[in-house]
Each structure stands twice: as C-alpha cells, then as structure tokens.
Amino acid sequence: SANFEPMAGSAELLLSPPPEEAPLSMPAELRRRLDCRLLPLLSGGYLMSVIDRSNLAYAELQMRDDLSLSQSSFGLAAGVFFLSYCAAQVPTCALVSKLGARRVLAATMLAWGLCSAATALVRTGGQLLLLRFLLGFPEAGFYPAAILTLSLWYPDTSRSRASTLFTLCATLGTSIGASSSGALLQSLDGALGLAGWRWLFLVQAAPTLLLGLLVLGLLPDSPAEARWLTGEQKKTLAALLASDGSAAASLPLCAALRAALRRPHTWLFGAQHFVAAQAFYCLVYFGPTQLREVLPSLPLSLLGCVGALPSAVSLLVGPTP
C-alpha cells in the first residue's frame, strides 16, 4: 500500500521493549465493535486527505489555461503543500497530546476541507500557491492524531491489523481520487457557469467537511466514554491496553523525539521514506499530464480511470490484513 506519511509514533516503535510474555488477545466481539465504530471515521478521513491533496494533478489539466500556469508554477504549487505539512508535523503532535485526538481530528478535517473548497475560487497562480501552502498545516495534524487514536483504542496485539486497514486508504484514495476527478472534470465542466476544475475542488471537499462533523459528534475521547461498549468490554479493553507496557508511552514528546533521533534506524527509515515518497508523488502529480500528452483524444473520465490503474493493481496484489 502507498502510505507515505511521516513516521508519526516512530519513537514508540523504536523504544518499545520486546514483550516478556505472551500478550493477551482481544475478544472477537470487542474487536468487531472497535472496527465498526472507529475505522470508518479514521479511514474515511485518511482517504479524503489523500484525495484533497492530490486532486490538483487532475485540476491542472483544465486550470492551466484559466490561471496561465506554467509547468514550473504547477510544480511549485504541488510542492509548497509539503513545506507547511512538514513544518507542522511535530507541533501538531504536541497539540494532539494537549487537546485530545478527537478535537484535533475534527478541526483539521474541517480546516483542510475549507481550504480545498476555497481553491475553487482562485483567480491567479499566487492565490493557488497561498491556499496550497495553507492546506498543508491542517492536513499535517490528521495522521498523528489518527495514529494516537489507534494507540488509545487498540492494544499491541490488534493494532498492526487496524493500522494496516487504516493505511490501505492511502492507496485507495489515490485510486478513487483519480477516477472520480476525471469524471467530475468532464461531467460538470460548464455547469452553472463554473469550470470543471472548480467543481472538482468543491465536490471533493464536501465529504471531508461532513466527516469532520461526524468525527466531532461520534468519536469518543477514550474507551471509558464509549456508550457503545458494555461495562465488561471497557474493563477488558483497559486490561489489554495496560498490558502493553510501552516504555515510550511515559516519555515526554521532546524526550521521545530526541531518543528516536539518536537511533540509526530512524534515519534509515527516513531515507527510505524520502525516496519512496518522492517517486510516488511524482507519479501522482505529473502522471495525469503525461497521460494527456500520450493520449490526447481520450475523454477525461477515461483518463482518470487509466490514472487509477497503478493504485488499483497495488490494492489487488498487496498484502491482505
């Protein structure tokens, strides 16, 4: 799966000692309830974050003439998102620990949904650059807040499965985003006097805003506040989480960060992530333009389907959790 997020929670992974005894297993009914109540909200948000950051690639097929964008200007607009995204990652982690994951998740989704929708209103390349830069700040908060949420609800024995299901949405979002973007560009172009690329940003921002409201209203702050868990299930889950015994969990954020940066594995993982993410986002942002040059007569709806093929194939042949 194409998960190219910064290694939120990497300090915990690198510092956690190996278990000394066989871990307790989660009852099937409890795991089912967690999966049904948590994963749709978190995975849906992650899917929309991938769509809202990458839909610029298909919008560019139409907006280049309206905004007089050159290839270099488009590349700058695509890349400036990651400047604010990277700058906000660590501060957002601290914010999550203070305000709680639910509030941060909802706030970031509502903020980036509004930024994405506002992109439909831009008239110049400079306005596009500004909104892309602003989009990176709220999007940076979603992934660490989601990872923290998983760690608060899933013990070690079940967390890897839940994390895999969650991160699969990066690949799914790329596939759905490509196919839906092409269809929206073609079907809505000229509707109510708006270009198709403007409708693209408006329509794809709507699910993000709705999910942000649902997260705020439906996601409990902790297992103890979950009304859909029985008293016995809450006790079982509390015992499972207490048995994890993570050494990094007791470390302050700055101390955990310093400890992780002293480990060679952190830099190795970072280098691998950098190379993989560079290749992935080059394909995401410049693939549609290359496809248009190779297949100039292909309708935009079919062009989006062709662009979705690499991600769709990786979903089919990738590991199943």
Side-chain angles (χ1 to χ4, degrees):
S1 106
N3 172 33
F4 294 111
E5 297 294 338
M7 296 290 290
S10 60
E12 179 180 348
L13 294 174
L14 293 170
L15 298 176
S16 298
E20 297 180 357
E21 56 184 22
L24 301 175
S25 60
M26 179 182 290
E29 174 60 21
L30 176 56
R31 185 175 64 184
R32 186 190 66 80
R33 289 201 180 190
L34 295 183
D35 289 348
C36 291
R37 296 285 184 162
L38 300 178
L39 289 182
L41 294 174
L42 297 178
S43 299
Y46 192 24
L47 183 146
M48 291 311 304
S49 76
V50 173
I51 291 177
D52 287 337
R53 79 179 60 166
S54 60
N55 55 11
L56 179 67
Y58 283 89
E60 188 266 347
L61 297 176
Q62 289 184 349
M63 74 190 312
R64 68 173 73 162
D65 294 330
D66 292 350
L67 303 184
S68 300
L69 283 180
S70 64
Q71 282 286 20
S72 59
S73 298
F74 167 70
L76 183 59
V80 74
F81 163 87
F82 294 98
L83 293 179
S84 54
Y85 188 95
C86 293
Q89 275 284 301
V90 174
T92 302
C93 289
L95 192 63
V96 170
S97 64
K98 290 183 179 180
L99 299 181
R102 179 179 66 91
R103 292 180 179 86
V104 173
L105 283 170
T108 56
M109 294 177 72
L110 293 173
W112 98 58
L114 291 174
C115 280
S116 185
T119 309
L121 306 177
V122 301
R123 300 292 177 182
T124 65
Q127 293 173 353
L128 177 63
L129 284 175
L130 176 61
L131 280 174
R132 289 291 298 181
F133 181 73
L134 294 177
L135 179 65
F137 287 110
E139 281 227 27
F142 180 82
Y143 189 79
I147 292 298
L148 175 62
T149 300
L150 291 176
S151 69
L152 293 176
W153 289 83
Y154 287 91
D156 285 344
T157 53
S158 303
R159 194 178 307 148
S160 60
R161 173 183 170 277
S163 297
T164 300
L165 291 170
F166 170 74
T167 53
L168 277 175
C169 286
T171 306
L172 186 61
T174 305
S175 183
I176 292 177
S179 55
S180 64
S181 293
L184 290 170
L185 287 174
Q186 180 173 323
S187 61
L188 294 180
D189 189 30
L192 300 180
L194 295 178
W197 66 268
R198 298 187 187 275
W199 280 112
L200 171 64
F201 288 113
L202 290 172
V203 171
Q204 291 186 340
T208 301
L209 296 171
L210 177 60
L211 277 170
L213 295 175
L214 290 176
V215 166
L216 188 62
L218 299 179
L219 185 67
D221 284 315
S222 67
E225 299 179 14
R227 289 177 292 182
W228 36 268
L229 289 179
T230 66
E232 186 62 31
Q233 287 174 331
K234 291 179 182 179
K235 292 179 182 179
T236 301
L237 184 56
L240 289 169
L241 292 169
S243 68
D244 284 353
S246 173
S250 61
L251 289 176
L253 176 63
C254 291
L257 182 61
R258 286 195 299 269
L261 291 177
R262 287 195 295 265
R263 298 199 171 220
H265 290 87
T266 302
W267 298 98
L268 180 62
F269 293 156
Q272 180 273 337
H273 172 81
F274 177 82
V275 173
Q278 186 180 43
F280 174 72
Y281 282 113
C282 281
L283 176 63
V284 166
Y285 285 113
F286 297 100
T289 302
Q290 299 300 316
L291 283 175
R292 172 51 78 200
E293 292 180 358
V294 175
L295 304 169
S297 61
L298 193 68
L300 288 173
S301 57
L302 294 180
L303 189 76
C305 293
V306 174
L309 285 178
S311 297
V313 170
S314 68
L315 281 172
L316 292 175
V317 302
T320 303

